[in-house]
Amino acid sequence: MKDGYSVTGVNRYYNPKINLFDSASAGVVYCEDQSKAFAKDRKSSKVIKTAVTVKSYVLYTTRLEKNDKGVWQTTRLTSQRGHKSCTP
């Protein structure tokens, strides 16, 4: 993070779904739980805790494409905070 902050705590990724479109492209959808991750001031080491809300849970939708060397690369990524498929 910029401005002298870092992230501390735990981010949990779960509920992955993979869809192969063809031999060179795929979609991956997954959730992230940020409820136990917080900003930390690197200078003072103070952890800035925030309340857990539905926005602590994020849905990611990605598109991956295989390049000419056979390496899968993310070509598109979108996120939606508080999506009902990720909230408890």
Side-chain angles (χ1 to χ4, degrees), residues 1-6 39-48:
M1 295 179 77
K2 49 185 171 172
D3 299 327
Y5 291 92
S6 62
K40 181 178 180 179
D41 184 311
R42 288 192 299 238
K43 198 172 195 179
S44 69
S45 295
K46 181 181 177 182
V47 175
I48 302 163

Side-chain angles (χ1 to χ4, degrees), residues 12-67:
R12 183 174 70 96
Y13 298 90
Y14 58 99
N15 203 20
K17 292 180 180 69
I18 300 168
N19 185 11
L20 289 173
F21 304 133
D22 55 42
S23 63
S25 63
V28 180
V29 177
Y30 59 95
C31 296
E32 178 187 18
D33 174 355
Q34 297 178 343
S35 66
K36 295 180 179 129
F38 307 100
K40 181 178 180 179
D41 184 311
R42 288 192 299 238
K43 198 172 195 179
S44 69
S45 295
K46 181 181 177 182
V47 175
I48 302 163
K49 292 198 173 186
T50 53
V52 176
T53 70
V54 294
K55 291 189 175 190
S56 301
Y57 304 92
V58 185
L59 174 71
Y60 292 95
T61 305
T62 67
R63 179 179 174 85
L64 294 94
E65 296 179 4
K66 197 182 290 189
N67 69 15

